[in-house]
Amino acid sequence: MGSTLLDPASATELAARLIPDEELRPWSVDDVARLPSFASKLGECERICGVPYGETSHAIQDALVLRRLQQMVCSILLNPLWRERLNHFGIFAAPATFEDWERIPLSDKVVQRDMLMGARPGMVVPLERGGFQVVASGGTSDGLPLEVVYSLRELRDTYRIAGEFMGAQQLRGPLSGPEPKWLFTTLADYQMWSSGTMVGGVLSHVPGVNFIGAGPVTAPVLAHMFTYPGPKALMGITAGVGLLSDLGAGIPQAARESFRVAMYGSGVLTQRKRSELRAVFPNVSILSYFAATQAETIGLQLRDESPELAAVPGLHLIEIVDENGRAVAEGEEGELVVTRLHAHEAPLLRLKLGDRMVRRSRLDGPGLKTQCFEFAGRTGDVLHLNDSQYSAPVAYAALNDDLRKSAAIDLDAIAHEIQFVNNREAKAITLLVTVDDVDGLTRRMNGALGPVGVQHLFTGALPRALSLFNDREATPASIEQTGYRFQLVFVHRLSPEIERTVVGKVPLVRDRG
């Protein structure tokens, strides 16, 4: 059966064949525990269609994912707490369409805590039966514990699926040739964290590579690892990848040339850091590996020249939604919502991860067919001026554009890190920029802009940080009338003025007062 020839009706029939009615509606917790894995359904789909699942038509993928979502809702309605929650929102049965699925309420960290922490009352199959793993968040923004529960059998399935995707789509070209191939990770060594277990689990399942879970490394350790013959890839948190240019400066040239792929965790790696990495490691591609506690692989950047992230087919349902939980159109920005498809025993429906994404067009040519999106910032990356809200990433881009024109200073080229600090009580916003030459850049900026230049820089840039639908909400004059004072301050690297999380991440926005 050629997958490209299947119309939506035939795809629906195939999905019903793969997940038959007797599996679609389990009648008891015991039935759920006995359900065949979703990974086995993906494998069966591949055998029927004669191509890898990620190369089947979007009609087939959509039909099978919808069928799996219907099965998940039937299973989760067996749980009294979930049934009460869904019934409250008018959900009494499995969704017939994706539009019906969007009526299911979004979950957040509070729901995750209520369902899967403490007594863990939201599990469909009780924890007492065993065979589970608890994974914790290593850097939650609110500082409170956050855990999630996985079935070990399903976790192993997703490691294999994501690892094989990485090997085929990200690493096959850069890590080629007859020599041994290496994949290191410098992620957290506290193994309850998702970064220490889940991402490491994926990386250890990339075919044909030698995996090393190195944990945090020093310059001598990195130099030692780079003596291993063969091409190398490394995955770490954004800040850790940014440090590689310093740690690797003393490594012999041949070893530095063997570094082919640097993968950084959720967030943004500044242009300054990218330039420094390429100066030390001339052959390196710099790619985003986007993950979270609830999802070991949300999106992977496939090409250095494009910021778009590709979903791993069959791993999660990725939604980019508006404030009503409905899908945004291509090219529009919305909130990232994830539902893990491999979760018979401990499902969590429509979880908001706190990230903003732009929905991009699907990959739909020969070969890989999957959903694409682009990181637009954290949901909390918002500057509040009285009752108005401004996108911090867009505000930064506008500020930098104006600063280049007025003072010939390019923050992308010189900044190690940036952070907006909004002191609401004092009505003051400061953009902190960590640089090497604090005094020189400060003199240069003040000389070019004068005593009120930075204030005018902000009031001119901020109106451009409003969305298309409320861009008339502010003008430079109206921003002046808010009474806010604005500063741009250069500080040294590791300055205590920059707030960092416990794992060294630098949030883009910090509110005080």
Side-chain angles (χ1 to χ4, degrees):
M1 181 187 300
S3 65
T4 57
L5 302 179
L6 282 176
D7 57 26
S10 300
T12 300
E13 292 175 7
L14 175 60
R17 173 181 169 186
L18 292 169
I19 302 179
D21 287 345
E22 58 268 23
E23 295 176 8
L24 183 70
R25 299 178 181 86
W27 295 104
S28 69
V29 169
D30 289 335
D31 287 344
V32 174
R34 288 192 291 263
L35 285 174
S37 70
F38 186 57
S40 70
K41 305 301 180 181
L42 300 179
E44 190 176 347
C45 181
E46 292 181 341
R47 289 190 292 274
I48 292 172
C49 295
V51 295
Y53 176 76
E55 296 183 14
T56 61
S57 69
H58 284 296
I60 290 176
Q61 293 187 35
D62 290 347
L64 184 53
V65 167
L66 178 59
R67 187 76 170 174
R68 171 65 187 120
L69 297 176
Q70 293 168 339
Q71 184 185 42
M72 289 182 73
V73 173
C74 290
S75 297
I76 214 168
L77 286 171
L78 296 171
N79 176 277
L81 195 58
W82 274 108
R83 184 167 61 250
E84 179 184 357
R85 173 173 167 77
L86 294 186
N87 289 173
H88 176 75
F89 287 91
I91 308 298
F92 299 94
T97 64
F98 281 109
E99 289 73 21
D100 289 341
W101 167 260
E102 291 178 344
R103 293 177 51 233
I104 291 176
L106 300 177
S107 300
D108 57 16
K109 291 179 180 180
V110 174
V111 174
Q112 184 173 339
R113 287 190 183 99
D114 290 346
M115 295 292 184
L116 297 174
M117 291 188 66
R120 310 187 200 277
M123 294 180 63
V124 174
V125 177
L127 193 71
E128 292 76 28
R129 297 201 178 199
F132 295 98
Q133 178 168 326
V134 174
V135 176
S137 168
T140 53
S141 56
D142 57 11
L144 298 174
L146 187 67
E147 294 177 343
V148 69
V149 183
Y150 300 99
S151 158
L152 282 170
R153 64 166 180 148
E154 292 177 311
L155 203 53
R156 286 190 287 267
D157 285 339
T158 59
Y159 289 166
R160 176 184 55 79
I161 292 168
E164 289 178 353
F165 182 88
M166 286 186 67
Q169 302 297 332
Q170 278 190 310
L171 301 177
R172 177 175 292 170
L175 301 190
S176 60
E179 291 185 296
K181 300 157 188 66
W182 303 94
L183 180 52
F184 308 113
T185 178
T186 59
L187 287 173
D189 54 358
Y190 169 33
Q191 289 300 304
M192 271 190 74
W193 283 355
S194 57
S195 55
T197 54
M198 297 171 65
V199 173
V202 172
L203 300 181
S204 66
H205 282 73
V206 175
V209 305
N210 302 296
F211 170 70
I212 294 182
V217 300
T218 60
V221 172
L222 187 72
H224 172 73
M225 294 193 306
F226 272 51
T227 64
Y228 302 164
K232 302 166 184 69
L234 183 147
M235 193 274 164
I237 65 171
T238 304
V241 171
L243 288 173
L244 291 177
S245 54
D246 293 336
L247 297 178
I251 295 175
Q253 178 71 17
R256 286 188 277 123
E257 290 176 353
S258 71
F259 188 26
R260 303 297 170 79
V261 181
M263 289 179 285
Y264 61 96
S266 308
V268 175
L269 196 65
T270 65
Q271 191 59 47
R272 164 76 179 264
K273 292 299 181 186
R274 292 172 181 272
S275 300
E276 291 175 351
L277 280 170
R278 293 191 175 100
V280 176
F281 305 104
N283 296 325
V284 73
S285 293
I286 304 169
L287 304 175
S288 172
Y289 182 121
F290 201 89
T293 312
Q294 170 62 14
E296 63 276 63
T297 309
I298 299 168
L300 296 170
Q301 184 180 354
L302 303 185
R303 300 187 310 278
D304 202 333
E305 64 274 13
S306 171
E308 292 186 5
L309 305 171
V312 179
L315 200 59
H316 307 96
L317 173 66
I318 308 285
E319 299 178 81
I320 315 297
V321 304
D322 60 20
E323 62 275 9
N324 298 313
R326 298 287 182 175
V328 302
E330 283 185 12
E332 291 186 357
E333 180 182 320
E335 179 135 16
L336 173 66
V337 173
V338 172
T339 301
R340 183 181 178 84
L341 296 173
H342 303 256
H344 285 315
E345 287 95 337
L348 182 54
L349 305 184
R350 305 197 78 198
L351 178 65
K352 297 190 296 182
L353 293 179
D355 296 291
R356 304 284 297 175
M357 294 283 177
V358 177
R359 183 180 174 187
R360 297 303 185 194
S361 58
R362 289 173 160 185
L363 290 178
D364 198 21
L368 179 64
K369 296 172 180 63
T370 193
Q371 183 181 2
C372 293
F373 41 93
E374 185 176 341
F375 181 68
R378 295 286 294 170
T379 303
D381 289 347
V382 173
L383 297 171
H384 296 265
L385 272 70
N386 298 339
D387 294 328
S388 296
Q389 299 180 15
Y390 301 81
S391 165
V394 178
Y396 165 75
L399 283 166
N400 192 36
D401 187 48
D402 290 351
L403 191 62
R404 273 197 304 262
K405 294 174 182 175
S406 58
I409 295 175
D410 185 351
L411 298 181
D412 283 342
I414 63 173
H416 295 285
E417 295 154 333
I418 60 168
Q419 184 173 80
F420 287 99
V421 178
N422 187 355
N423 189 322
R424 297 203 203 184
E425 186 175 352
K427 286 197 169 185
I429 289 180
T430 301
L431 174 59
L432 297 172
V433 183
T434 65
V435 296
D436 296 325
D437 183 12
V438 173
D439 294 337
L441 285 166
T442 301
R443 286 193 301 269
R444 185 169 150 197
M445 180 180 69
N446 291 341
L449 300 182
V452 295
V454 171
Q455 183 79 9
H456 291 163
L457 202 71
F458 271 85
T459 57
L462 282 173
R464 286 137 60 196
L466 288 168
S467 74
L468 175 67
F469 302 104
N470 61 351
D471 62 356
R472 295 182 182 178
E473 186 176 309
T475 63
S478 67
I479 291 176
E480 287 283 9
Q481 291 169 5
T482 65
Y484 259 81
R485 293 178 296 106
F486 303 101
Q487 300 179 84
L488 194 162
V489 178
F490 295 112
V491 296
H492 294 285
R493 296 179 68 177
L494 303 181
S495 167
E497 293 185 65
I498 295 280
E499 291 189 32
R500 293 175 171 82
T501 68
V502 293
V503 292
K505 295 181 180 180
V506 177
L508 180 59
V509 178
R510 273 293 180 249
D511 280 308
R512 297 176 184 165

